[in-house]
Amino acid sequence: MIHRYSSRRQPVDKTFLNARLKNAIAYDRIAGYFSSSIVEVAGEALEKLDGKVRIVCNSELDLRDVDTAKAAALALGKEWRSNSDDKLSPAAKFRLARLYDFLVSGKLEVRVLPNEVHGLLHGKAGVITGRDGSKTSFLGSINESKSAWQLNYELMWEDSSTDAVEWVQQEFDHLWNHPKAQPLAHAVIEDVQRLAGREMITVTQWKKLENPASPVIETPVYQEQFGMWAHQKYFVKRAFDEHRSGRGARFVLADQVGLGKTLQLALSAMLIALQSDDPVLVIAPKTLIWQWQDENMKLLNFPSAVWDGKAWVDENGVRNLIGDQEKNFSDCPRRMGIISQGIITHGGGLTEKLLQRSYSCVIVDEAHRARRKNLRKDGEDDPPEPNNLMRFLWNVSSRTKSMLLATATPVQLYPIEAYDMLDILARGSDHVLGDMFAKWRTRSKREVLALVQGLASEPQEFLDRWDWIRNPFPPATEFRTFEKVRRNLDKAPTDALLTDSDRHRLRPADREDLERLSDFFIDHNPFIRHIIRRTRTYLEETIDPESNEPYLKAVKVKTFGENNPIDLPGYLNDAYQSAEDFCEQLATIMKSAGFIRTLLLRRMGSSIEAGKQTALKFLGQDVADILDEEDETDESSGQSQGGIAGRIGPAEQEILRKLIAQLDQHKDRDPKYAMLKNLLINEGWGKLGCIIFSQYFTTVEYFSAQLALEYPNEKIGVYAGGSKSGFWIDGSFQRCAKEDLKQWVQNGELKIIFGTDSASEGLNLQRLGTLINLDLPWNPTRLEQRKGRIQRIGQIRDEIFVYNMRYKDSVEDRVHQLLSQRLQQIFNLFGQMPDILEDVWIQVAQGNRKAAEQIINEVPERNPFEIRYDQVHNIDFESCRQVLNKVEMMDKLKEGWR
């Protein structure tokens, strides 16, 4: 029997859907996109249904997302949140509450199928089974939504014949049981419940509650990204709790590269800015200041201003020019101001301006750059001679309530560096190392470091131990013994010290508990308390008790090129010799020849074209003119960058011309380009998705153009600083926004992308499975940052491939030979290569092998604080129903420093 329905003639929800469901025990439905409004259309009928409703519908899931249940759940949660409405009417909330009840009761079950499997599910159909065992099927244009059943013009055919029912049922069963079909994620069901009870509150109301999740749960990182991971939420909550306790948050965040330090710091700063009235100051390397501003807005909708040297630039690119430089500097237009470390390292009036105000929070990125000049082995007890950054942080520490120092390598060479970081934090808080009389400050630093590393015998007598324990006395949150002692002595959270009078007032049981703290110096020392470090290995191996899965999916790295450097062909070997001849000749006429040597050899090691362009510019321009933005650091002004064009004579010019001719003659026979093409095409890395890095835009530009000429139909991206980003297609280069490149990578449209080191920070390319380093940056941190673009949270592959190119017998190869026996050991100790190893490259380039070996030999054999840095607990942000009013939040965060 066939029945035809037209919404023009009768309401199909009443005449068909509710009428059939009234006496039904099961409902199987192929829908387009699932909508919660089904419960508004057929809620009462569904409640009376004896059996189950099963709906299979479309999803924007990438097929690669459904390889694991966890990846699918994350992607589904992201898709749901990005499409959910944050302006919910009472009726919508009621509908969501009803939907949640259906989902958790098991009466309604939903599975989603990626669009890539069968395209969009335009074929809408269903089978309804009655209590008497009868079945009917229907087909039509109707989606499972209120608008489809009640508002749209729709046509539908009902057919209760056995053939029709079986046909529709087979189609449903195929989709429902498809291996790529995924159950509706638990995160989606939780969010349905949250939205049903969602309540908007003001900043004033929030301050009384101060739930860190309230300002966070509807930021872009939750609505448009994958949300936050357990280790990230742990740090944010801990920092915020410490700030509002009155003690102030004083931490070194030392997470490994790729674990989201910037997000954790920015989110902590945003919460502090909302809770406090004083400014937030971020001090970062010059190469990272714009990334800070960019991630603040894109992930958190957190406005900020960057000092560009003359004016503050807000998140909209507006420059705040009101007068002279110092007046501009004093009038930051946003609650968060971001400055380059160069302002501090170079000194001057602006530094003094910064020390004339108070802050709610100071954040220092790459904080290991604040260090003593007289750092040496066995120099723990030497009075520190601070560099400019370290001295500034000493001074500003007492002017801020909270201070967060970020570095992946809190120890570059010696344990005293970790103590120096705590000393910076302690200058503004007795809770870190105690007051000026505390043993942590007054005793030999060598003794302090030996105690916390378990290398020295602990004091046995209680009176001796008491002086270490009481000053500073640990917070109540650290251990039940400390909580009980504080409670019984009536100590406030802000009381950092206990006195001898307090010792006499200790209850016998409390004293016994303190006496039994045999592990105090290992497990409760200030280093453990104030340094938080989570490694990728730790998160990959530690099981989350809630999900019974590791906190982080393991992503292995398979490296290539380590044991087989590229042979240096004769024509390149001749060019290298000409470069050496030029530098030796140059050394006879100018002191900065060593700097010129390293610069030239680095560029020649990158590509023939980069070497040629450098030599050409030496003939007619200053060295400063050939420094790409990717080369510049805050310390670059300390190098000798004076002009050489007017100082070299005919002999030097002749060698340069010879070098240029040698390179130009063979520019189309670059061995690195040949290797690149082999990897992308013959080895299939291009199909897996590949990011290709070089430190120099010249190399990126030339190699990408060459590849585009050979493969004109392949879309090839270029991600670089300034306005240099774009893509090659059909043999021509088109400029585009960096955001476009990111989006194309995410949706699989762009598989090959070249990048300078401006792409090594803040660019998430989890969709790509391979990485090629055309050259090896001499700063090891940059190498880790490059790898962190694909070995990061959200990577869908279990293993990624990395190829590190270097020429045999080049500077890079000689350094590799020096480090080869220690590379893995050093990486295991620090989680990445310490920046100090950049000096090894420089010494080798300048022929100082012994000096290079001395630096390597001074790297410690063991991580001095490998005992315990790791901290992570499950913290629930996702179920928070009270959300901050977005307009009020923005107004608060846009308040300037004035």
Side-chain angles (χ1 to χ4, degrees), residues 575 578-579 582 596 599-600 603-604 608-621 626 644-645 648 652-653 655-664:
S578 297
F582 169 73
I596 301 299
L599 188 150
L600 182 55
R603 287 170 172 256
M604 286 184 61
I608 290 178
E609 183 67 14
K612 186 189 82 171
Q613 292 299 328
T614 303
L616 278 169
K617 291 180 180 179
F618 278 167
L619 281 175
Q621 298 184 32
I626 69 166
I644 66 170
I648 61 176
E652 293 80 30
Q653 291 177 13
I655 298 174
L656 276 179
R657 292 190 181 97
K658 178 183 177 182
L659 172 60
I660 292 166
Q662 289 170 324
L663 294 172
D664 188 58

Side-chain angles (χ1 to χ4, degrees), residues 316-365:
N316 298 313
V318 177
R319 301 179 81 234
N320 188 49
L321 281 167
I322 57 174
D324 60 25
Q325 186 190 48
E326 291 196 2
K327 187 172 182 181
N328 276 325
F329 193 63
S330 301
D331 193 31
C332 178
R334 296 290 183 262
R335 178 61 56 87
M336 175 187 275
I338 305 168
I339 66 169
S340 163
Q341 287 181 0
I343 291 175
I344 312 299
T345 57
H346 300 153
L350 298 185
T351 301
E352 295 304 315
K353 285 284 184 183
L354 290 170
L355 294 174
Q356 291 174 8
R357 63 169 68 246
S358 297
Y359 303 90
S360 60
C361 184
V362 171
I363 294 174
V364 186
D365 204 353

Side-chain angles (χ1 to χ4, degrees), residues 524-542:
H524 299 291
N525 65 70
F527 294 85
I528 296 301
R529 189 174 305 129
H530 294 281
I531 300 178
I532 297 177
R533 174 174 176 76
R534 283 75 56 94
T535 65
R536 174 173 288 278
T537 300
Y538 168 77
L539 293 173
E540 290 174 348
E541 295 178 352
T542 304

Side-chain angles (χ1 to χ4, degrees), residues 32 36 63 97 111 119 198-199 218 227 233 245 267 276 278 302 314 317 329 343 463 517 618 675 785 791-792 835 843:
S36 62
L63 280 176
R111 290 186 185 176
R198 182 177 178 274
E199 175 191 359
E218 292 185 356
K233 290 185 287 185
S245 73
L267 190 46
S276 310
D278 285 332
F302 181 5
D314 69 21
F329 193 63
I343 291 175
L463 288 181
L517 277 176
F618 278 167
M675 177 64 74
Q785 288 167 341
Q791 190 197 20
R792 63 188 301 107
D835 285 1
Q843 295 297 341

Side-chain angles (χ1 to χ4, degrees), residues 380-578:
E380 292 93 339
D381 292 319
D382 295 343
E385 298 175 13
N387 63 10
N388 286 348
L389 181 56
M390 187 178 191
R391 186 182 300 279
F392 173 82
L393 297 182
W394 280 357
N395 293 328
V396 81
S397 182
S398 60
R399 303 195 65 83
T400 182
K401 183 174 181 180
S402 292
M403 177 175 270
L404 305 174
L405 308 179
T407 171
T409 49
V411 175
Q412 288 273 306
L413 282 177
Y414 309 124
I416 190 62
E417 294 175 276
Y419 184 93
D420 286 344
M421 291 227 173
L422 290 197
D423 183 45
I424 290 170
L425 299 178
R427 303 259 169 163
S429 172
D430 288 345
H431 287 86
V432 181
L433 291 173
D435 64 13
M436 61 185 297
F437 303 108
K439 287 185 178 290
W440 299 100
R441 290 178 179 273
T442 59
R443 297 296 285 267
S444 160
K445 304 303 179 290
R446 186 172 301 176
E447 178 186 0
V448 169
L449 293 167
L451 280 171
V452 300
Q453 294 177 77
L455 302 177
S457 299
E458 300 181 4
Q460 298 301 308
E461 296 297 325
F462 177 68
L463 288 181
D464 291 337
R465 295 169 63 82
W466 169 255
D467 279 342
W468 289 92
I469 295 172
R470 72 173 185 83
N471 188 2
F473 192 73
T477 53
E478 184 166 315
F479 192 57
R480 61 182 180 276
T481 295
F482 307 136
E483 188 276 329
K484 191 165 60 135
V485 169
R486 282 185 170 275
R487 184 179 67 247
N488 291 337
L489 292 178
D490 195 26
K491 294 295 180 180
T494 51
D495 291 330
L497 320 173
L498 299 186
T499 64
D500 272 339
S501 172
D502 292 323
R503 177 170 60 85
H504 292 300
R505 293 196 300 120
L506 285 172
R507 296 182 180 183
D510 291 346
R511 174 167 175 147
E512 288 178 11
D513 287 343
L514 290 174
E515 287 177 339
R516 284 198 295 265
L517 277 176
S518 59
D519 56 356
F520 175 80
F521 290 93
I522 298 297
D523 287 344
H524 299 291
N525 65 70
F527 294 85
I528 296 301
R529 189 174 305 129
H530 294 281
I531 300 178
I532 297 177
R533 174 174 176 76
R534 283 75 56 94
T535 65
R536 174 173 288 278
T537 300
Y538 168 77
L539 293 173
E540 290 174 348
E541 295 178 352
T542 304
I543 299 299
D544 176 356
E546 288 189 4
S547 66
N548 203 33
E549 293 183 10
Y551 281 110
L552 196 63
K553 174 191 171 186
V555 179
K556 296 179 181 178
V557 179
K558 187 174 182 179
T559 56
F560 299 81
E562 297 300 307
N563 300 318
N564 51 338
I566 301 170
D567 287 330
L568 200 64
Y571 55 84
L572 262 186
N573 195 52
D574 293 343
Y576 264 96
Q577 186 57 54
S578 297

Side-chain angles (χ1 to χ4, degrees), residues 84 180 275 288 406 501 621 735 743 746 775 819:
S84 61
K180 296 298 184 181
Q275 196 265 356
L288 301 183
S501 172
Q621 298 184 32
R735 306 281 184 195
Q743 187 59 45
Q746 290 300 315
D775 47 53
L819 284 171

